[in-house]
Amino acid sequence: MRLLIIEDEKPLTKSIHSYLLQSNFLCDTAYSYGEGKDKLETGSYDCIVLDITLPGGNGLDLLQHMKRRKVTAGVIIISARNSLDDKINGLEKGGDDYLTKPFHLAELTARINSIIRRKKFEGNNVIALDKLTVNILNKTVKSGEDDIHLTKKEYKLLLYLISNRNRIVTKEAIADHLWEDHANLGYSFDFVYSHIKNLRKKLVDNGCPDYIKALYGMGYKFVVEEEIRIA
Amino acid sequence: MKLIAHYNRHNFLVLTLLFILSGICSYVLTRNVLYNELDESLESSMNRVNNYVQRYHVLPSPTAYDNLKVSTEVTDKPVHTPYLIYSDRYITDNGKKHAGRALIFSVHLNNQIYKIRISKPLEGIKHITQTVALTTITMILLLVVILAIANRFFIARLWKPFYSTLNSLKNFRLNTPGPVEFEKNNIEEFSVLNDHLKIVTTNARKEYHLLKEFTENASHELQTPLTIIRSKLDVLIQQDNFTEQQVELLADAYGAVTRLSGLSQSLLLLAKIENNQFSDQQEIALHETIRRKTSQFEEIWEDCEISCQLQVHPLFIKMNADLLDILLNNLFSNATRHNSPGGNIAISLDTGSMRISNTSPDAALDGEKVFSRFYKSVVNNEKNGLGLSIVRQICLSSHITPSYEYKNGLHNFSFYWY
């Protein structure tokens, strides 16, 4: 998978780059409007991470440019602007997703995965990973041939962990992902713990290895040896 | 009391006193002058009588002319010094009894002492002084009436620009766009007042906007460094070889970044509401919105073992949909966060009001401060204390009256639409 990150904050770009590299994404970086435009001309990408305020121009104009050039890559807009109008505007101009700063890199990875799945593998909505098979369309999970019945939150959690497999995902990132606006409810970390506990139990009960490792005080890690196949 | 009423009250009091005083003065003065005049004329008559007696050696006949009456009687005691008396024995030709003034003296004639009494009526003086008093009183009444009318029309018109300025100031809000318009007038003081007020209000508004802009920009600019810190931490924690102590340090730093980002987002939201960036309003079925919001929270409440009672009557309100969503989110979150397992949340919607009550291990909050910024009743460093001030700001911009009450162990938040 090839990604282009267009973001003028170099430290942020570097973080995104190194985090995504661990997920086997090949990343190109551009630090300005002009540079981004050049890279779009020469390279072909599966997904573009785009900041709105760039030196030399507005990120949204790049979206228009891509539309004219018929670039098919999925675009995630990252911006400090968090009003609904900004989001709607970004999505109307051709963004596929809109992520407000400050975000968790785990969230960004999950969304990139989701966009690439949508764009690249239309109709094939099944993720097979080790013993697990996740059907994204029906939102069903199977361990081998057995159905695992998950609640909505558990399913969302599993998908999030799979997107960030073999990486530590903090409990804050999980809480933000599961509850979005309501994540700041005092004890949402207790909920994270109880959801993880339930999910782990259901997976193990259905014959899966114990994929989810707890890292005390930090978060959780979905450990799986086999590389993901998208059937 | 209006300025004019104050002015009139004092003015009329002083004027009336002044007129009464001057009335009394002119009455007394006029009377005294006339009495002197009368007394002098009596004295000159006495001189004339004395001369007459000396020249002709007969007493003057008691005829009365020029309202002057002379009467004589024989006496054995001479009057050494002539003296004046008031008498009511002055009788006019047509037999009417009047008050008068008399001069009594004696003359020697043919070894006989005669007491002579010359008297003049006081009637004329009485009439004149009465007329003076009457004129004064009439003048007072007339003046007071005329002044009252003049004040009412003339002074009221004179002060009109001032009241118009007051009215403009009353409608002045820091966060409404456009300068305050003061009515033009040709009274110098009021013109100066208006000019100064215009400068002051324009400056206040400019400062206010700068401050708001600053808050918004500051919150905005904070997001990028926060994103960088968080992303660095995200990358850093992926390394496996941390000691327990290092993990603890990292977890604390991560938690602080999460809090900071929440804080800056809350401040940004506050600034946006204050800047009227959520201005488009629409008709909303509040009961529907509450039902939807309740179902969103159901799962969380289930996890927290909190029961919920919902009692809604249809209520349609006009407000911004995003603000309503934030308002309900904040209220429901609060009711959840300050609750305890086995607790309860009751939401009721009546005609014109909404009430959210929750059980809580916390004691009653200070009703005065509960909606102010950074107010924390208990030491709880996890929260920034901005939730309810966002609620208050939303209420302020949507014309809702919020209130808090602690009753029977329940924290009640009520909201009224008018």
Side-chain angles (χ1 to χ4, degrees):
Chain A
M1 297 291 149
R2 275 174 70 86
L3 257 65
L4 175 62
I5 306 161
I6 310 173
E7 156 72 61
D8 59 324
E9 291 288 339
K10 281 190 184 169
L12 180 58
T13 315
K14 269 174 155 169
S15 304
I16 297 174
H17 187 271
S18 83
Y19 195 88
L20 291 177
L21 205 62
Q22 291 176 356
S23 300
N24 297 326
F25 287 112
L26 290 173
C27 296
D28 273 354
T29 51
Y31 297 115
S32 69
Y33 181 86
E35 205 179 332
K37 207 170 166 182
D38 289 347
K39 290 250 161 90
L40 281 171
E41 297 281 328
T42 50
S44 120
Y45 299 98
D46 299 301
C47 187
I48 292 154
V49 178
L50 178 66
D51 187 18
I52 291 183
T53 39
L54 291 168
N58 190 314
L60 294 178
D61 295 339
L62 268 183
L63 279 176
Q64 311 277 56
H65 174 76
M66 282 160 64
K67 223 182 220 171
R68 280 197 300 272
R69 291 261 153 187
K70 299 203 165 48
V71 176
T72 53
V75 178
I76 294 185
I77 299 166
I78 50 172
S79 168
R81 288 183 218 166
N82 68 347
S83 81
L84 195 63
D85 282 347
D86 291 323
K87 284 178 196 172
I88 290 170
N89 190 24
L91 297 180
E92 270 177 354
K93 290 250 167 75
D96 294 284
D97 206 342
Y98 192 104
L99 196 55
T100 325
K101 289 177 185 175
F103 48 79
H104 298 276
L105 290 182
E107 185 68 38
L108 179 66
T109 314
R111 296 210 189 186
I112 290 173
N113 274 317
S114 152
I115 282 185
I116 290 177
R117 271 201 302 272
R118 276 212 307 265
K119 287 261 167 188
K120 280 261 162 186
F121 307 101
E122 280 167 54
N124 277 325
N125 290 299
V126 179
I127 305 169
L129 183 67
D130 196 34
K131 278 194 160 182
L132 278 177
T133 324
V134 182
N135 186 318
I136 290 157
L137 213 62
N138 308 331
K139 300 194 171 171
T140 53
V141 182
K142 278 185 180 175
S143 162
E145 289 304 309
D146 303 333
D147 278 330
I148 306 175
H149 297 287
L150 298 179
T151 63
K152 253 197 249 169
K153 284 271 182 288
E154 286 161 3
Y155 172 78
K156 210 171 168 186
L157 178 60
L158 178 65
L159 213 58
Y160 193 55
L161 289 172
I162 289 175
S163 275
N164 290 285
R165 65 197 170 280
N166 294 327
R167 227 97 46 77
I168 296 171
V169 183
T170 59
K171 51 191 189 309
E172 284 93 345
I174 295 174
D176 273 350
H177 182 75
L178 292 188
W179 288 285
E180 289 158 16
D181 290 345
H182 315 307
N184 57 358
L185 287 171
Y187 25 68
S188 54
F189 297 152
D190 299 340
F191 300 163
V192 171
Y193 172 74
S194 73
H195 281 301
I196 291 269
K197 201 176 77 184
N198 292 342
L199 178 62
R200 249 167 115 171
K201 191 168 181 299
K202 282 184 184 174
L203 291 178
V204 173
D205 284 356
N206 282 282
C208 288
D210 192 3
Y211 293 122
I212 303 167
K213 303 272 178 284
L215 291 117
Y216 177 74
M218 195 70 90
Y220 302 91
K221 194 173 186 175
F222 192 91
V223 186
V224 60
E225 291 304 319
E226 194 187 338
E227 192 35 58
I228 193 164
R229 312 177 309 265
I230 296 172
Chain B
M1 200 189 263
K2 275 195 171 187
L3 182 78
I4 290 179
H6 265 291
Y7 173 79
N8 278 349
R9 203 161 76 167
H10 292 112
N11 202 21
F12 289 156
L13 199 74
V14 170
L15 269 180
T16 313
L17 278 175
L18 209 73
F19 275 112
I20 288 170
L21 264 175
S22 75
I24 291 169
C25 282
S26 54
Y27 174 81
V28 170
L29 275 173
T30 318
R31 211 187 56 170
N32 284 356
V33 166
L34 290 173
Y35 272 30
N36 275 344
E37 200 84 342
L38 186 77
D39 292 350
E40 270 171 29
S41 92
L42 282 175
E43 267 168 40
S44 79
S45 297
M46 179 184 78
N47 291 340
R48 280 214 313 273
V49 168
N50 279 337
N51 288 342
Y52 183 85
V53 170
Q54 269 171 20
R55 186 178 293 177
Y56 299 107
H57 302 287
V58 283
L59 287 173
S61 60
T63 52
Y65 69 97
D66 192 15
N67 277 341
L68 191 77
K69 277 205 166 182
V70 183
S71 63
T72 54
E73 62 184 271
V74 183
T75 182
D76 44 359
K77 275 187 272 170
V79 181
H80 296 296
T81 45
Y83 63 92
L84 285 156
I85 54 156
Y86 290 100
S87 79
D88 49 3
R89 282 189 294 149
Y90 183 88
I91 294 161
T92 55
D93 297 335
N94 46 26
K96 266 192 184 168
K97 223 176 169 188
H98 277 309
R101 195 149 166 87
L103 179 67
I104 292 158
F105 61 98
S106 58
V107 290
H108 294 264
L109 186 69
N110 307 329
N111 297 324
Q112 189 62 289
I113 303 165
Y114 295 94
K115 193 164 102 180
I116 296 179
R117 176 194 174 100
I118 327 170
S119 55
K120 264 195 155 183
L122 283 172
E123 200 57 19
I125 295 175
K126 207 171 115 193
H127 282 306
I128 288 172
T129 46
Q130 270 175 1
T131 309
V132 167
L134 207 73
T135 314
T136 316
I137 288 166
T138 319
M139 285 295 280
I140 294 170
L141 283 175
L142 217 73
L143 257 160
V144 167
V145 168
I146 287 170
L147 270 174
I149 293 168
N151 282 352
R152 206 188 160 106
F153 290 99
F154 182 63
I155 295 189
R157 210 167 58 190
L158 211 63
W159 281 94
K160 213 178 139 199
F162 182 73
Y163 288 111
S164 135
T165 303
L166 277 189
N167 210 35
S168 300
L169 275 185
K170 205 164 70 188
N171 296 328
F172 171 68
R173 297 280 176 283
L174 270 177
N175 50 5
T176 49
V180 200
E181 287 304 331
F182 294 111
E183 216 172 278
K184 273 210 167 61
N185 64 82
N186 47 15
I187 299 169
E188 197 186 334
E189 283 88 343
F190 293 150
S191 293
V192 172
L193 179 74
N194 283 355
D195 288 347
H196 283 282
L197 280 176
K198 207 167 193 171
I199 293 168
V200 168
T201 50
T202 312
N203 281 347
R205 195 169 267 165
K206 220 187 274 168
E207 299 278 323
Y208 177 79
H209 277 288
L210 278 178
L211 195 68
K212 289 281 138 281
E213 227 166 69
F214 172 76
T215 319
E216 202 179 331
N217 286 341
S219 306
H220 234 141
E221 290 306 314
L222 272 177
Q223 304 305 319
T224 306
L226 274 172
T227 317
I228 294 171
I229 298 174
R230 188 179 264 179
S231 69
K232 295 292 165 197
L233 287 172
D234 272 337
V235 173
L236 186 62
I237 57 173
Q238 301 309 327
Q239 297 173 17
D240 296 327
N241 46 358
F242 286 123
T243 65
E244 207 170 288
Q245 202 188 357
Q246 284 168 325
V247 166
E248 204 184 316
L249 291 174
L250 277 172
D252 285 351
Y254 207 94
V257 170
T258 304
R259 253 171 68 197
L260 192 56
S261 82
L263 182 65
S264 76
Q265 265 160 12
S266 296
L267 282 174
L268 185 61
L269 180 64
L270 268 175
K272 278 183 178 169
I273 301 171
E274 283 170 8
N275 278 349
N276 283 330
Q277 289 186 19
F278 298 93
S279 51
D280 52 318
Q281 302 199 328
Q282 62 203 75
E283 192 83 18
I284 296 170
L286 187 58
H287 48 284
E288 298 284 335
T289 318
I290 287 185
R291 277 215 189 91
R292 238 177 293 131
K293 195 45 74 186
T294 314
S295 67
Q296 278 176 29
F297 271 79
E298 252 160 19
E299 199 182 353
I300 294 168
W301 287 332
E302 228 166 77
D303 283 338
C304 297
E305 293 165 43
I306 292 170
S307 58
C308 169
Q309 278 97 49
L310 187 63
Q311 202 173 40
V312 289
H313 292 278
L315 175 60
F316 293 88
I317 51 160
K318 208 171 153 71
M319 79 178 279
N320 182 284
D322 294 332
L323 286 186
L324 179 62
D325 192 60
I326 297 165
L327 179 80
L328 293 179
N329 262 352
N330 273 323
L331 291 173
F332 285 20
S333 296
N334 258 344
T336 313
R337 195 165 52 236
H338 297 291
N339 230 314
S340 53
N344 178 45
I345 294 173
I347 301 151
S348 64
L349 192 59
D350 247 317
T351 40
S353 74
M354 169 176 79
R355 192 163 75 175
I356 295 170
S357 326
N358 64 283
T359 53
S360 171
D362 302 339
L365 304 167
D366 186 341
E368 297 276 313
K369 290 191 211 147
V370 67
F371 291 108
S372 59
R373 282 182 196 187
F374 301 112
Y375 170 68
K376 292 177 183 176
S377 60
V378 279
V379 182
N380 178 4
N381 289 329
E382 287 300 312
K383 293 307 301 166
N384 54 37
L386 284 176
L388 281 177
S389 65
I390 290 175
V391 167
R392 190 189 68 119
Q393 199 57 48
I394 292 174
C395 288
L396 215 65
S397 69
S398 311
H399 308 292
I400 306 168
T401 314
S403 83
Y404 167 80
E405 190 189 26
Y406 185 77
K407 213 166 139 190
N408 304 331
L410 287 175
H411 296 267
N412 296 301
F413 287 92
S414 306
F415 299 87
Y416 302 93
W417 278 266
Y418 293 109

